Amino acid sequence: MSPTVRGARVLITGATRGMGRLFAERAAAEGAGVLVLWGRDTAALQEVAEAVARPGLRVRTDAVDLDDVAALDTAAHAVLADLGAVDVLVNNAGVITSSGYFWQQDPAEAVRTLRVNTLAPMRLAAHVLPAMIADAARPKRVLNVASAAGIVPNPRMSVYAASKSALLTWSDTLRLELAQAGHAHVRVTTFSPAYVSTGMFAGVRSVALTPMLRPERAVDQAWRALLAGRAHVITPPTVHVARAARGLLPSRAWDRMARVFGVHRSMEGFTGRG
């Protein structure tokens, strides 16, 4: 794929703030032809649309709650009817609702987390992939924003970690399925960052040797990987070390190591966006 998305039709979920907004700004700056922005807040969507507007760019906004299956289906059908195939899908939206232990959390919040973080990206991809596969006129890309939490277990985020672990495994398997089926023009990239300082994880403690990622840096890494069609980006490098250590060490030894580096205490001060 070319090093930009010039002329492409780009769909971004969770586009009103944080990394989602930065993805929208990046796509607009690099000359996207159509930008489809999904989020729950109509006013915030309009504000982002106005901020990224420029000659030659068409911006479409859809207020969509990804916890609402019917709303997701309706919005996806509308986008397909309007655009045909999208060239780039960025499954960015995600939620985390508390830092309580699993048994302290409302089961309804667990269901919502799984719907938004895992099932919504799957369902949206199921809608748009057939058209992406059928349209081989230009390369197609899918970016699924997972998390290092799906790689390294961490107390007080069990449901979030489970949702991202499932997303990661599905995303990478989808990549293999597309390749095996001969659809080489459609590539899937999974992005697994540690804590990103967007406000979503406000209050968390930094982990030794693993500083909070600036959202601009995280988006730049994810975007470059998306365009290149890379399979999986894990950042920062210390997450690779933790992944390897967890695989090599006995469970109790890994647990001790994680405690020493502050992994298991990192969520204790979590407040989120309030």
Side-chain angles (χ1 to χ4, degrees), residues 207-251:
V207 177
L209 306 179
T210 310
M212 292 280 284
L213 289 166
R214 292 186 302 106
E216 294 81 5
R217 173 62 175 161
V219 165
D220 181 66
Q221 288 181 286
W223 192 257
R224 291 176 183 272
L226 161 76
L227 295 178
R230 290 178 58 189
H232 191 187
V233 176
I234 300 171
T235 188
T238 47
V239 180
H240 283 283
V241 177
R243 185 189 198 189
R246 185 183 170 224
L248 292 171
L249 295 173
S251 295

Side-chain angles (χ1 to χ4, degrees), residues 6 30 33 126 134 146 156 221 244 255:
R6 185 167 301 280
E30 294 193 2
R156 296 179 179 268
Q221 288 181 286
D255 289 347

Side-chain angles (χ1 to χ4, degrees), residues 140-162:
K140 302 292 188 288
R141 296 290 185 262
V142 177
L143 174 66
N144 295 311
V145 179
S147 170
I151 299 171
V152 181
N154 192 8
R156 296 179 179 268
M157 60 189 320
S158 59
V159 175
Y160 176 81

Side-chain angles (χ1 to χ4, degrees), residues 41-62:
D41 187 329
T42 302
L45 283 170
Q46 185 58 37
E47 194 275 325
V48 175
E50 292 172 358
V52 301
R54 61 201 63 208
L57 172 63
R58 177 189 168 202
V59 182
R60 173 189 173 117
T61 61
D62 293 299

Side-chain angles (χ1 to χ4, degrees), residues 193-218:
Y195 295 128
V196 181
S197 58
T198 60
M200 182 175 179
F201 282 99
V204 301
R205 300 179 181 179
S206 61
V207 177
L209 306 179
T210 310
M212 292 280 284
L213 289 166
R214 292 186 302 106
E216 294 81 5
R217 173 62 175 161

